[in-house]
Coordinates of all heavy atoms in Angstrom, one line a residue:
Chain J
E87 N 16.6 167.1 265.6 CA 17.1 167.8 266.8 C 17.6 166.7 267.7 O 18.6 166.8 268.4 CB 16.2 168.6 267.4 CG 16.6 169.5 268.4 CD 15.6 170.2 269.1 OE1 15.1 169.6 270.1 OE2 15.2 171.4 268.8
E88 N 16.8 165.6 267.8 CA 17.1 164.5 268.7 C 18.4 163.9 268.3 O 19.3 163.7 269.1 CB 16.0 163.4 268.5 CG 15.2 163.3 269.8 CD 14.1 162.3 269.5 OE1 14.4 161.1 269.5 OE2 12.9 162.8 269.2
E89 N 18.5 163.6 267.0 CA 19.8 162.9 266.6 C 21.0 163.9 267.0 O 22.0 163.5 267.5 CB 19.7 162.7 265.1 CG 18.5 162.1 264.7 CD 18.2 162.1 263.2 OE1 19.2 161.8 262.4 OE2 17.2 162.4 262.8
K90 N 20.8 165.0 266.6 CA 21.8 166.1 266.8 C 22.2 166.0 268.3 O 23.3 166.2 268.6 CB 21.3 167.4 266.4 CG 22.2 168.5 266.9 CD 21.6 169.8 266.6 CE 21.1 170.3 267.9 NZ 20.2 171.5 267.8
A91 N 21.2 166.0 269.1 CA 21.4 166.0 270.5 C 22.3 164.8 270.9 O 23.3 164.9 271.6 CB 20.1 165.9 271.2
A92 N 21.9 163.7 270.4 CA 22.7 162.4 270.8 C 24.0 162.5 270.1 O 25.0 162.1 270.7 CB 21.8 161.3 270.2
Y93 N 24.0 163.1 268.9 CA 25.3 163.2 268.2 C 26.2 164.1 269.2 O 27.4 163.8 269.2 CB 24.9 163.8 266.9 CG 26.1 164.7 266.4 CD1 27.3 164.0 266.0 CD2 26.0 166.0 266.2 CE1 28.3 164.8 265.4 CE2 27.0 166.8 265.8 CZ 28.2 166.1 265.3 OH 29.2 166.8 264.8
T94 N 25.7 165.2 269.6 CA 26.6 166.2 270.4 C 26.8 165.5 271.7 O 27.9 165.5 272.3 CB 25.8 167.4 270.5 OG1 25.1 167.7 269.3 CG2 26.7 168.6 270.8
A95 N 25.7 164.9 272.3 CA 26.0 164.3 273.6 C 27.0 163.2 273.5 O 27.8 163.1 274.3 CB 24.6 163.8 274.0
G96 N 26.8 162.4 272.6 CA 27.7 161.3 272.3 C 29.0 161.7 272.9 O 29.2 162.8 273.4
G97 N 29.9 160.8 272.9 CA 31.2 161.3 273.5 C 31.9 160.0 274.0 O 32.7 159.5 273.2
D98 N 31.5 159.6 275.1 CA 32.1 158.3 275.4 C 31.2 157.3 276.1 O 31.4 156.2 276.0 CB 33.2 158.7 276.5 CG 32.9 159.9 277.2 OD1 32.1 159.8 278.0 OD2 33.5 160.9 276.9
A99 N 30.2 157.9 276.7 CA 29.1 156.9 277.3 C 28.1 156.6 276.3 O 27.0 156.4 276.7 CB 28.6 157.6 278.6
E100 N 28.3 156.4 275.1 CA 27.3 156.2 274.1 C 27.6 154.9 273.4 O 28.7 154.6 273.1 CB 27.2 157.3 273.1 CG 25.8 157.5 272.5 CD 24.8 157.7 273.6 OE1 24.9 158.7 274.3 OE2 24.0 156.8 273.8
E101 N 26.6 154.2 273.3 CA 26.7 152.9 272.6 C 26.8 153.0 271.1 O 26.1 153.7 270.6 CB 25.6 151.9 273.0 CG 26.1 150.8 274.0 CD 25.4 151.2 275.3 OE1 24.3 150.9 275.4 OE2 25.9 151.9 276.1
E102 N 27.8 152.5 270.5 CA 27.8 152.7 269.1 C 28.4 151.3 268.4 O 29.5 151.0 268.7 CB 28.8 153.8 268.8 CG 28.4 154.5 267.5 CD 27.1 154.9 267.3 OE1 26.3 154.1 267.0 OE2 26.8 156.1 267.7
E103 N 27.6 150.8 267.7 CA 28.2 149.6 266.9 C 28.3 149.8 265.5 O 27.3 149.6 264.7 CB 27.1 148.5 267.2 CG 27.3 147.7 268.5 CD 26.1 148.1 269.4 OE1 25.2 147.4 269.2 OE2 26.3 148.9 270.2
E104 N 29.3 150.2 265.2 CA 29.5 150.6 263.8 C 30.9 150.1 263.4 O 31.9 150.9 263.3 CB 29.4 152.1 263.5 CG 29.0 152.4 262.1 CD 27.5 152.0 262.1 OE1 27.2 150.8 262.1 OE2 26.7 153.0 261.7
E105 N 31.0 149.0 263.0 CA 32.3 148.4 262.7 C 32.2 147.8 261.3 O 31.2 147.3 260.9 CB 32.8 147.4 263.6 CG 34.1 147.6 264.0 CD 34.3 148.8 265.0 OE1 34.3 148.5 266.2 OE2 34.5 149.9 264.6
E106 N 33.2 147.8 260.5 CA 33.2 147.2 259.3 C 34.5 146.6 258.9 O 35.4 146.7 259.5 CB 32.7 148.2 258.2 CG 33.6 149.4 258.3 CD 34.6 149.6 257.2 OE1 34.7 148.5 256.4 OE2 35.2 150.5 257.2

Side-chain angles (χ1 to χ4, degrees):
Chain J
E87 198 191 80
E88 247 180 79
E89 306 168 45
K90 167 189 107 191
Y93 150 72
T94 324
D98 27 75
E100 208 58 62
E101 257 110 79
E102 202 61 271
E103 276 111 75
E104 211 73 300
E105 224 78 88
E106 53 103 353

